């Protein structure tokens, strides 16, 4: 059976939003047309993918499984097209993705010295796309902050660094030399609690159901703005916090927090000589004092 990748893309959008109207707007197609495409996909597969009523849209077990498998399949198809287009370029390109706070210049210089004709590109990522960029071919390698989903990836641990707590400068906690988890038990975390499991285990607001809704935050700058306004605190890797020095927030060590692990990842189906060469020089990424 040949599966239409366009129908799969439509399915993934609806499955992630669980709303045909919003998915149609995102895809820039009419909702009736989207519904017809989903029904056609269900006919192709011979299974129902969604349960729809007037109030909600939910995935069937078959839909849940297809969503799990479709996203890496679509990413692989995108990567295949991108690599074909890059192969036609007169100069070979190599794109290095990296998370905020990680300095890649020494490793880039070392790779450039080995391959003077190589066109090296850099791509800044965030928590939501740090692995997607290698799975869909936008980057050849990505320097990520763990944890990540390892499916389809080769993962090479590089180093670890402490995480720190950022609070408003006028917060009483800012007067401390360092913070413990007990100090933070009554504070509001401006992140997904899953990202800071140590705090999640002691947080009072999670026990009594008073946790306020955290708005979608797309960057470190947005987090710091919220922190400075007194909305709560955030936890950042130490190197990331050092890039955003500002007088209205205080950065404090928190020995109870586990270190953040930095790793190099690349697409397991696209391991080239250049990827290995960059992997070899990644020891230059280690900042002073890293573990």
């Amino acid at each position: 059976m040949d599966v239409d990748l366009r129908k799969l893309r439509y399915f993934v959008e609806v499955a992630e939003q669980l709303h045909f109207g919003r998915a149609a707007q995102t895809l820039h197609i009419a909702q009736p047309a989207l519904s017809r495409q989903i029904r056609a996909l269900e006919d192709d597969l011979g299974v129902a993918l969604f349960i729809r009523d007037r109030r909600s849209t939910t995935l069937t077990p078959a839909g849940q499984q297809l969503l799990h498998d479709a996203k890496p399949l679509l990413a692989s198809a995108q990567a295949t097209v991108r690599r074909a287009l890059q192969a036609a370029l007169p100069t070979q390109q190599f794109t290095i993705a990296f998370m905020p706070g990680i300095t890649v210049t020494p490793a880039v210089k070392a790779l450039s010295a080995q391959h003077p004709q190589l066109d090296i590109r850099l791509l800044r990522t965030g928590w939501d796309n740090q692995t997607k960029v290698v799975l869909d071919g936008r980057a050849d390698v990505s320097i990520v902050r763990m944890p990540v989903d390892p499916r389809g990836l080769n993962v090479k641990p590089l180093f670890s660094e402490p995480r720190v707590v950022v609070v408003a400068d006028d917060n009483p906690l800012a007067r401390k030399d360092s913070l413990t988890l007990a100090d933070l038990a009554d504070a509001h975390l401006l992140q997904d609690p899953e990202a800071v499991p140590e705090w999640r285990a002691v947080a009072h607001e999670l026990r009594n159901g008073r946790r306020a809704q955290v708005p979608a935050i797309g960057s470190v700058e947005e987090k710091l703005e919220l922190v400075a306004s007194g909305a709560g605190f955030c936890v950042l890797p130490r190197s990331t916090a050092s890039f955003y020095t500002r007088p209205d927030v205080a950065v404090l060590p928190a020995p109870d927090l586990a270190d953040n692990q930095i790793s190099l990842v690349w697409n397991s189906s696209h391991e080239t000589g250049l990827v290995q060469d960059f992997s070899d020089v990644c020891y230059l990424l280690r900042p002073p004092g890293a573990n």
Side-chain angles (χ1 to χ4, degrees):
M1 176 190 299
D2 293 328
V3 178
D4 187 331
L5 292 181
R6 181 183 62 177
K7 292 176 185 174
L8 272 184
R9 284 194 294 270
Y10 290 172
F11 162 76
V12 168
E13 191 64 41
V14 177
E16 291 186 330
Q17 299 212 34
L18 291 178
H19 194 285
F20 276 76
R22 288 195 295 268
Q25 291 177 350
T26 302
L27 294 166
H28 304 292
I29 64 173
Q31 183 174 338
L34 176 59
S35 296
R36 286 195 297 272
Q37 292 294 322
I38 296 300
R39 283 196 298 270
L41 178 60
E42 291 177 322
D43 291 342
D44 292 342
L45 299 175
V47 296
L49 300 173
F50 295 99
I51 300 172
R52 299 175 66 182
D53 57 34
R54 293 182 178 180
R55 295 182 178 179
S56 65
T57 298
T58 58
L59 285 166
T60 65
Q64 293 173 359
Q65 184 62 53
L66 183 60
L67 178 61
H68 180 272
D69 294 333
K71 293 171 73 173
L73 176 61
L74 290 172
S76 179
Q78 290 176 319
T80 299
V81 172
R82 286 191 172 107
R83 286 197 290 268
L85 295 175
Q86 289 176 2
L89 297 174
T91 304
Q92 187 174 12
Q93 291 183 356
F94 188 80
T95 300
I96 302 164
F98 64 99
M99 283 287 282
I102 300 173
T103 301
V104 299
T105 306
V108 170
K109 287 183 175 180
L111 184 66
S112 182
Q114 293 180 21
H115 302 276
Q117 303 305 316
L118 186 63
D119 181 8
I120 300 176
R121 305 288 179 93
L122 298 177
L123 176 63
R124 183 183 183 276
T125 60
W127 286 105
D128 61 334
N129 68 346
Q130 58 176 340
T131 59
K132 289 179 183 178
V133 294
V134 292
L135 293 173
D136 66 17
R138 282 176 285 173
D140 296 277
V141 295
S142 183
I143 303 160
V144 303
R145 295 191 182 277
M146 303 296 284
V148 299
D149 183 346
R151 288 182 299 164
L153 301 171
N154 286 337
V155 182
K156 176 181 178 178
L158 298 177
F159 60 90
S160 62
E161 63 169 329
R163 291 185 295 168
V164 295
V165 175
V166 187
V167 299
D169 188 58
D170 57 2
N171 188 313
L173 293 177
R175 295 193 288 271
K176 290 179 171 286
D177 294 327
S178 65
L179 296 175
T180 66
L181 291 176
D183 294 326
L184 299 170
D186 284 318
H188 176 57
L189 178 67
L190 293 167
Q191 290 161 264
D192 183 347
E194 295 296 324
V196 192
E198 304 93 334
W199 176 83
R200 183 188 60 202
V202 302
H204 292 164
E205 67 178 33
L206 295 181
R207 295 181 182 178
N208 58 28
R210 291 190 298 105
R211 178 163 173 80
Q213 184 177 3
V214 178
I217 301 174
S219 67
V220 175
E221 292 87 348
E222 291 176 34
K223 286 182 183 177
L224 294 180
E225 287 294 332
L226 288 168
V227 169
S229 72
F233 76 97
C234 70
V235 173
L236 296 175
R238 184 172 61 186
S239 62
T240 302
S242 69
F243 272 78
Y244 294 92
T245 303
R246 48 187 291 173
D248 52 359
V249 301
V251 178
L252 300 165
D256 292 345
L257 295 176
D259 287 354
N260 177 232
Q261 174 70 46
I262 290 87
S263 299
L264 177 71
V265 304
W266 61 92
N267 194 317
S268 57
S269 65
H270 187 60
E271 184 168 335
T272 65
L274 285 174
V275 168
Q276 283 302 315
D277 288 347
F278 185 75
S279 176
D280 291 342
V281 299
C282 274
Y283 70 93
L284 296 171
L285 296 172
R286 294 172 58 89
N291 298 319

